[in-house]
Amino acid sequence: MINNEFEIEKKSALDGWNSFCQNFEKRMVVSLRPEIFAKVATMLLADEQESVTTCEKLQEGIVEAGSSKSNFVTRKDIGLANADAEYHPLSIDPFKTTVRLFGKAVVAALSEKHNEGTV
């Protein structure tokens, strides 16, 4: 029963990650290649990251997408996209200025997708 509940939690966590990605694109008015979010997920699976590093990685994706808008990614953009997700996949520490994956279910879900090469 516990294993089944964790599988359900992982599904919600993955839905939350996908929701975060969609919210971020909508907020920044750009469509990013899935590989950009996969790179961010891989970084966060390795360890918590400075929020500026996460912003820079997402900014690279925006530049690569050829957006005509001058969209500069901020911690606020990441935070709002996370807050609007049904399941919050990120923890953004306002004092240490770091970003990390939030909870075992998010880590497990993204680890599985990473191992499959489908984050």
Side-chain angles (χ1 to χ4, degrees):
M1 173 117 166
I2 292 173
N3 193 28
N4 189 36
E5 289 176 7
F6 189 64
E7 290 300 318
I8 293 168
E9 185 73 11
K10 284 190 333 189
K11 167 90 171 74
S12 295
L14 187 56
D15 289 346
W17 174 258
N18 291 330
S19 179
F20 162 76
C21 296
Q22 292 169 353
N23 292 339
F24 181 81
E25 288 179 323
K26 187 184 313 178
R27 176 165 183 72
M28 301 308 289
V29 193
V30 67
S31 181
L32 300 181
R33 291 183 311 110
E35 293 83 8
I36 298 302
F37 290 114
K39 287 178 184 177
V40 171
T42 300
M43 287 176 9
L44 293 171
L45 282 167
D47 199 5
E48 72 179 12
Q49 300 291 319
E50 290 293 322
S51 56
V52 68
T53 305
T54 308
C55 290
E56 287 171 352
K57 188 57 68 180
L58 290 167
Q59 183 68 45
E60 288 172 16
I62 290 173
V63 169
E64 183 181 294
S67 176
S68 60
K69 293 185 149 210
S70 59
N71 298 337
F72 293 101
V73 179
T74 66
R75 286 169 29 100
K76 181 179 178 182
D77 297 319
I78 294 172
L80 290 173
N82 187 56
D84 288 343
E86 297 97 32
Y87 184 111
H88 309 299
L90 302 177
S91 173
I92 303 167
D93 187 323
F95 302 106
K96 295 194 314 185
T97 66
T98 57
V99 178
R100 66 180 173 84
L101 296 175
F102 185 68
K104 292 179 182 179
V106 174
V107 172
L110 290 180
S111 291
E112 281 181 14
K113 290 297 184 182
H114 176 71
N115 291 339
E116 295 170 1
T118 60
V119 170

